[in-house]
Amino acid sequence: MKGWQLNGAYELSPVKRTEEVDFSKAVKVKVTKVMITKDDITLYNGDDKCNYPLIPGRNAIGLIVEVGENPYGYDKNMRVYLEPITNCKRCYSCTIGQPKDCSDFRIAGKNEEGFLKDFAIVPFENVYQLPKSVSDNEALFIEYISLAASVLDKLQIQKGEHVAIIGGNVLGNIIAQLIIYYQAVPIIIDDNENALETAKRSGIYYTLKADAKLEKEVSELTGGRMTPKVVYVANCGINTEAALRISRANAIVAFAGFNYSNLRVNFVQAMQKQLHFYCIANGYGNTETSINLIANHAINMHNFNIQNAPLRELGNVFKKSDEILKAEQDVPNVIIDMFN
């Protein structure tokens, strides 16, 4: 196996090793595409802490190249999505059969080896066949959709209900689209005009600038009632106070995101309004739901800032993305073609 490993901040280098395969538990997959995201870049530049060395790459698809005598329905050349989240199987929740409440999820490219490599040994439970109606690029957003589905599970939104989303990045946009799918009314809030324009092109009608007029505009949209449910997208660059200001008393506020190293919340206003908080950091258990949502065209990903690059440009992708991040601009998701 040849992979690309972070040995420290700004230290990305190739690595080779031999991996044994227990075909009674796993399959061997040729990784075909990996999507490099802002979260990978914050590991690369040291903004997000991890235990080096680490192979990054949370979002990946591939083709099965080897199976055992009992492949459990998996065949060679099957196109598959590689699930990045695994429950620890050791904590109390896991041992009593409640893996969704795991206290120590193992996450590819975060605290476990990621998929930025030519071949991966993947347990059966982490391999999902992709239907023809789901494109490669769409499949790479499955974890985003899974996290969005986890958010909606917690919010339990009602038909016609207003839900504010602080942060119009990819995750915030997908959450808003999913809210529309379930017949509620999202309000995307951001201080980035490009994010708001992308939201409009994605069919999200209500978009507001995160500025001094925000509270007044939300009040007008909701008939003075403010919002009963708010989603704050971690690391969106907007002060968390905005989420608390637009919440009505006893509202539910969900903090969601893959990376939350800089998350800070002032609990004074939360206590005054007696708000209810949820924290959602992954989409464990929602992969099949996400694949079905894509197949049913519930989510439109065509408006996102997605770039493509061959494997030989990998080093430049990390360097350029880091420069964009330092300039406080929106970091594009870059799909690496592992064949080139």
Side-chain angles (χ1 to χ4, degrees):
M1 180 275 291
K2 180 179 180 181
W4 287 263
Q5 180 174 275
L6 290 171
N7 299 306
Y10 297 106
E11 297 179 23
L12 180 68
S13 61
V15 61
K16 287 187 178 182
R17 71 168 71 107
T18 301
E19 292 185 313
E20 298 296 327
V21 189
D22 182 353
F23 284 116
S24 67
K25 299 179 179 179
V27 294
K28 185 174 182 180
V29 176
K30 165 63 179 174
V31 180
T32 56
K33 291 184 179 180
V34 178
M35 186 165 69
I36 304 300
T37 71
K38 179 181 178 180
D39 299 316
D40 295 303
I41 304 307
T42 57
L43 289 170
Y44 169 73
N45 65 21
D47 284 350
D48 190 16
K49 304 303 179 185
C50 69
N51 292 322
Y52 300 114
L54 176 73
I55 292 179
R58 180 172 181 149
N59 306 280
I61 61 171
L63 298 172
I64 294 177
V65 292
E66 288 188 51
V67 296
E69 292 183 0
N70 298 302
Y72 298 96
Y74 297 106
D75 297 316
K76 287 184 179 180
N77 297 317
M78 181 180 287
R79 189 173 64 111
V80 292
Y81 168 72
L82 309 183
E83 168 63 53
I85 310 293
T86 306
N87 64 303
C88 74
K89 301 178 176 63
R90 298 184 302 272
C91 71
Y92 175 73
S93 295
C94 288
T95 58
I96 64 170
Q98 296 177 358
K100 274 199 169 187
D101 297 325
C102 175
S103 62
D104 188 24
F105 282 110
R106 313 315 297 162
I107 304 170
K110 177 77 171 180
N111 54 22
E112 289 283 308
E113 188 172 274
F115 298 122
L116 192 58
K117 50 190 178 181
D118 53 2
F119 293 96
I121 310 305
V122 189
F124 291 132
E125 63 266 27
N126 282 31
V127 179
Y128 290 83
Q129 183 179 6
L130 292 168
K132 292 181 179 179
S133 57
V134 175
S135 71
D136 287 354
N137 285 12
E138 289 174 326
L140 290 166
F141 285 90
I142 286 173
E143 177 62 5
Y144 283 85
I145 300 170
S146 294
L147 194 151
S150 291
V151 170
L152 266 67
D153 287 343
K154 291 293 186 183
L155 292 181
Q156 296 185 344
I157 62 172
Q158 305 298 314
K159 183 177 179 180
E161 191 171 45
H162 286 95
V163 183
I165 302 102
I166 310 288
N169 56 15
V170 170
L171 178 58
N173 188 301
I174 288 175
I175 292 171
Q177 290 192 54
L178 205 52
I179 287 169
I180 293 173
Y181 184 76
Y182 287 107
Q183 300 183 311
V185 184
I187 305 168
I188 282 274
I189 298 163
D190 207 299
D191 55 9
N192 185 306
E193 291 289 356
N194 289 334
L196 297 178
E197 284 301 317
T198 300
K200 291 175 183 177
R201 291 197 302 271
S202 301
I204 301 158
Y205 186 77
Y206 294 115
T207 61
L208 298 177
K209 195 78 180 287
D211 56 21
K213 298 183 293 183
L214 177 61
E215 197 168 354
K216 178 177 180 293
E217 291 176 337
V218 171
S219 178
E220 291 173 352
L221 280 178
T222 59
R225 295 187 296 272
M226 307 305 288
T227 48
K229 288 162 187 176
V230 179
V231 181
Y232 178 88
V233 180
N235 280 356
C236 66
I238 301 168
N239 195 303
T240 54
E241 184 184 348
L244 309 186
R245 285 194 292 115
I246 64 173
S247 301
R248 71 171 62 162
N250 295 296
I252 295 174
V253 180
F255 295 92
F258 303 112
N259 184 336
Y260 38 85
S261 56
N262 297 320
L263 190 62
R264 301 289 184 274
V265 181
N266 183 342
F267 276 88
V268 173
Q269 194 166 17
M271 292 293 289
Q272 289 172 342
K273 288 187 173 182
Q274 299 188 91
L275 302 177
H276 307 271
F277 284 0
Y278 284 114
C279 299
I280 304 101
N282 66 65
Y284 181 82
N286 288 324
T287 298
E288 289 183 344
T289 296
S290 299
I291 292 172
N292 288 331
L293 285 167
I294 296 172
N296 290 322
H297 308 292
I299 307 295
N300 176 9
M301 288 162 273
H302 295 107
N303 296 309
F304 297 156
N305 183 11
I306 306 169
Q307 299 178 9
N308 294 273
L311 180 59
R312 62 181 179 273
E313 293 294 326
L314 182 66
N316 290 333
V317 167
F318 273 85
K319 291 177 183 176
K320 184 176 180 181
S321 296
D322 180 56
E323 291 171 358
I324 294 171
L325 183 59
K326 284 180 177 176
E328 298 184 350
Q329 297 177 10
D330 184 30
V331 179
N333 288 354
V334 183
I335 297 173
I336 304 296
D337 185 344
M338 301 295 286
F339 280 124
N340 294 315

